[in-house]
Amino acid sequence: MKNRLYQSLFLGITSAIAASASYALITPQNETQASMENLAITPVSTPSIYEITANFLGQTAELEQPIKPRNIEHKIRANESLSSIFPLYNINSKILKKITTANAIGAKFANLTVNNILIIELDDDYQLQRLIYKKDIVNTLVATRNGDDFDVRMDKKQLDNHERLAQGIINSSLSADGIKAGLSANIINQLADKIFAWDIDFNKDLKPNDKFTVIYEEILVEGERLKTGEVLAAEFVINGKSYSAIRYKDKEGNIEYYSPQGKNVVRKVRKTFLRSPIEFARISSRFNLHRKHPVLNRIRAHKGVDYAARSGTPIKTTGDGKIIFRGRKGGYGNVVIVQHNKKYKSLYAHMSKFNGKYKLGSKIKQGAVIGYVGKTGLATGNHLHYEFLVNGIHKNPLTVKIPHTKIKINKTFLARFKKQTQPYVDQLNRATTETAAIKVDKLFSKKIKKL
Ligand SMILES: [Zn+2]
């Protein structure tokens, strides 16, 4: 009885497909009268896209079961959930409960993402047989009928890790030519902001015909790139000078980029100090020994760099060291001073608050958040005032020469390092040689053409 109702409901459903709109299902008053006129489908104002695979059974079965939908593809709209979707297809709420409580995975049906597809498979009697929800590229939730109950599982596609080598020649910029060479934004950011941030100013230093080679991880799903992982090795040849960096994971699991320097020497690509204590902040005032002070309105040396940033932006210590001052200090407001070794000191002023994790005397690592941007002391707006001192003398933090971190290398380190990194060093070398060869070939062919 119930089934017959559904069958007539879906009569003439092809017109619904054509309209590609959403329809609320209303029970026809008299099922024997089912025809195009009393088609029990009424449009609903908000459109939704679902497709119905109709199955035509022929005329002889009369009008009671002429066309049957089987697989419904329902695109999730805002604020939809299974409890609002199921009634659209006359699926009982008891089934909803059976699916969501079948096991721990069943509960995941509660989180549906807008625009994702839900596939509803019905049998000849319009009973739900399978519910498939494509969560993302990798994960698919599947609920399959098993008697009166449902088995729920998560299908995961196989992820494959690959290493990829990309090469390019600079024509305009690293981002434009990097993308042309197949690099993702993620890889380009790693190169520019993390790995070579110290050695190369990608806005100023790159010139046409400079070269780059990058070996990086790529994660594939069924042969297609899902995302890129980390840079494994890279080399830039800028104005004939080579800059290379190889990723190495030490015994403790710390990951750093190193540069091979000769036969038995490596050095960390990361330098002793970060160039700036805040990422991506605008410099609002530079180091200037003859600046007119914005608050005092008279000439007063500006012995640091100001970074304009929103109140609460984390401030990182630029190098490893020890907090030697942490408190209020006149015009500086809340200030932290870090002693790095005998030679270097850095100062961070106008903080709104300190990071409670560290105290006076605390030892801190490069990049540790010591406080947050504010405008305490003499400040017109929220900013960080940053000073860098070498042997007690203020230096311009933007131009001061910063040493590379030297690391003690013993035999065991070197052996382990070589084992892990040598394949990449070889690949880089090979790639560089090959591009050189290509270039020579091109020149040669040009000459031939001229002849
Ligand atoms: Zn300042």
Side-chain angles (χ1 to χ4, degrees), residues 193-212:
D193 299 337
K194 193 171 135 197
I195 304 166
F196 292 104
W198 290 115
D199 296 305
I200 305 169
D201 180 336
F202 285 96
N203 294 318
K204 281 194 297 188
D205 299 345
L206 284 188
K207 298 279 180 307
N209 291 326
D210 284 342
K211 287 189 283 273
F212 59 88

Side-chain angles (χ1 to χ4, degrees), residues 62-77:
E62 295 302 331
L63 293 166
E64 285 179 357
Q65 36 173 262
I67 296 166
K68 288 186 175 183
R70 290 285 172 79
N71 298 344
I72 300 162
E73 273 191 29
H74 180 100
K75 196 172 187 179
I76 311 293
R77 289 178 293 168

Side-chain angles (χ1 to χ4, degrees), residues 29-252:
Q29 296 186 335
N30 184 344
E31 62 195 68
T32 54
Q33 282 182 344
S35 70
M36 290 306 277
E37 286 91 68
N38 74 349
L39 183 65
I41 293 173
T42 311
V44 168
S45 57
T46 352
S48 134
I49 300 156
Y50 65 84
E51 289 166 21
I52 292 166
T53 316
N55 181 15
F56 190 72
L57 287 178
Q59 305 292 335
T60 47
E62 295 302 331
L63 293 166
E64 285 179 357
Q65 36 173 262
I67 296 166
K68 288 186 175 183
R70 290 285 172 79
N71 298 344
I72 300 162
E73 273 191 29
H74 180 100
K75 196 172 187 179
I76 311 293
R77 289 178 293 168
N79 302 319
E80 272 194 325
S81 64
L82 286 190
S83 54
S84 68
I85 295 166
F86 274 16
L88 297 175
Y89 306 103
N90 278 311
I91 301 166
N92 198 300
S93 59
K94 279 179 193 158
I95 289 177
L96 169 71
K97 207 180 168 198
K98 278 182 181 171
I99 291 172
T100 52
T101 59
N103 54 28
I105 302 163
K108 293 189 193 290
F109 271 109
N111 300 316
L112 303 181
T113 308
V114 173
N115 288 333
N116 279 9
I117 300 288
L118 187 70
I119 297 168
I120 300 163
E121 291 185 12
L122 305 172
D123 67 4
D124 289 354
D125 294 329
Y126 300 93
Q127 294 300 308
L128 182 69
Q129 289 305 309
R130 204 190 338 253
L131 190 65
I132 302 167
Y133 173 63
K134 289 182 181 168
K135 225 170 130 52
D136 49 53
I137 299 168
V138 180
N139 300 295
T140 302
L141 269 171
V142 183
T144 312
R145 182 179 282 277
N146 181 2
D148 277 345
D149 292 315
F150 280 83
D151 295 331
V152 181
R153 65 173 200 274
M154 181 80 87
D155 281 351
K156 283 179 184 285
K157 283 186 185 169
Q158 177 80 32
L159 290 181
D160 292 313
N161 263 349
H162 281 258
E163 282 176 16
R164 247 196 130 81
L165 186 142
Q167 276 191 301
I169 292 174
I170 297 296
N171 279 313
S172 54
S173 68
L174 174 62
S175 47
D177 298 308
I179 284 166
K180 225 185 273 172
L183 298 180
S184 66
N186 161 38
I187 297 294
I188 293 168
N189 287 341
Q190 286 181 51
L191 294 169
D193 299 337
K194 193 171 135 197
I195 304 166
F196 292 104
W198 290 115
D199 296 305
I200 305 169
D201 180 336
F202 285 96
N203 294 318
K204 281 194 297 188
D205 299 345
L206 284 188
K207 298 279 180 307
N209 291 326
D210 284 342
K211 287 189 283 273
F212 59 88
T213 307
V214 187
I215 302 166
Y216 59 96
E217 293 173 321
E218 191 176 61
I219 295 117
L220 305 176
V221 182
E222 292 182 348
E224 284 195 38
R225 183 200 268 189
L226 173 68
K227 57 181 179 182
T228 48
E230 285 187 72
V231 170
L232 301 168
E235 183 183 23
F236 279 82
V237 180
I238 294 170
N239 201 14
K241 195 179 174 209
S242 161
Y243 300 85
S244 63
I246 320 279
R247 184 182 182 273
Y248 171 69
K249 193 176 182 179
D250 69 16
K251 263 189 195 162
E252 287 77 39

Side-chain angles (χ1 to χ4, degrees), residues 285 291 302-307 350 383-387:
S285 181
R291 182 182 77 149
H302 189 234
K303 292 181 171 180
V305 172
D306 289 348
Y307 293 92
H350 308 310
H383 75 281
L384 164 71
H385 171 88
Y386 173 56
E387 291 180 10

